[in-house]
Amino acid sequence: REDDMKINVEKVTRARKHQGRTANWLAARIGVIYVTYSNWVKANHIPEKYAESISHALGIPMEDLTDDN
């Protein structure tokens, strides 16, 4: 269920680095400043409302970014 979805920060970071993208690039693509994104990573929590934006930015299914699989 989508409302139970938790974005896995490690999966996002791994996918981003695999594509050679910076955290600053991803932050800009999802419409937040780098400091905000960086704080999410440090707290190991990315707000669920950004799952779709991250999925589109990285070109991978949302299911690959969550703890559900």
Side-chain angles (χ1 to χ4, degrees):
R1 285 189 13 222
E2 191 169 324
D3 57 348
D4 288 338
M5 180 173 36
K6 180 180 185 313
I7 300 171
N8 184 304
V9 176
E10 181 58 35
K11 288 180 181 180
V12 172
T13 300
R14 198 176 315 127
R16 175 183 62 74
K17 288 181 177 180
H18 180 73
Q19 295 181 18
R21 302 294 190 176
T22 65
N24 195 52
W25 176 88
L26 183 56
R29 290 292 299 256
I30 65 172
V32 299
I33 62 172
Y34 171 75
V35 172
T36 298
Y37 180 80
S38 177
N39 286 338
W40 293 343
V41 172
K42 288 175 191 170
N44 198 36
H45 175 77
I46 297 173
E48 292 175 23
K49 71 178 192 173
Y50 290 96
E52 190 171 351
S53 297
I54 292 171
S55 169
H56 286 285
L58 295 174
I60 57 179
M62 276 196 286
E63 299 78 42
D64 290 352
L65 301 176
T66 65
D67 286 332
D68 295 343
N69 57 358

